Amino acid sequence: MLDQAKKLWEMKKQADILKKELEATIIEVSESRGIKVVINGAQVFQSIDIEEGLLNTGNKNRIQMDLLKNLNTAVKRSQQSAANKMKNMPGFNLPGLS
């Protein structure tokens, strides 16, 4: 019983470390010209930057599609980063994280 409690406490400690690492991991995506999305490893968006010139062109649909593409890519990269960090931590070798 004491061993299980110790293992749980150790896993919580590892989870806290992982959370801090993910929050400190910054991922920038600018796959579309003039749009940059910044997200952290905990999947919290930090910023979205759209160049001024794009806003004046009247290409609302293009801007929306490019922004959506960048957001989806940023989330995917954030998820991959989290999975990689979890794979390398003791006690977090969960199936399906590859």
Side-chain angles (χ1 to χ4, degrees):
M1 182 76 166
L2 192 56
D3 275 351
Q4 287 181 337
K6 186 177 178 181
K7 286 180 185 177
L8 286 174
W9 182 78
E10 189 62 35
M11 283 184 70
K12 185 195 179 316
K13 204 163 80 169
Q14 291 291 329
D16 290 342
I17 291 169
L18 176 63
K19 181 181 179 211
K20 287 180 183 178
E21 285 182 16
L22 290 174
E23 288 171 347
T25 301
I26 301 298
I27 299 160
E28 292 186 15
V29 175
S30 54
E31 289 190 353
S32 303
R33 182 183 56 84
I35 298 175
K36 181 171 84 171
V37 174
V38 180
I39 189 172
N40 70 15
Q43 298 180 4
V44 175
F45 287 97
Q46 304 297 301
S47 66
I48 297 173
D49 182 43
I50 302 172
E51 287 182 6
E52 193 72 33
L54 283 179
L55 298 174
N56 297 330
T57 62
N59 292 329
K60 180 180 176 183
N61 287 338
R62 180 185 161 263
I63 293 169
Q64 288 174 331
M65 294 304 292
D66 287 347
L67 181 57
L68 187 60
K69 178 181 175 184
N70 282 339
L71 291 171
N72 287 327
T73 299
V75 169
K76 183 176 180 180
R77 288 186 188 170
S78 175
Q79 290 170 341
Q80 290 169 339
S81 175
N84 288 335
K85 286 185 186 303
M86 288 180 75
K87 267 196 308 193
N88 296 326
M89 294 192 86
F92 280 95
N93 297 332
L94 302 174
L97 281 180
S98 49

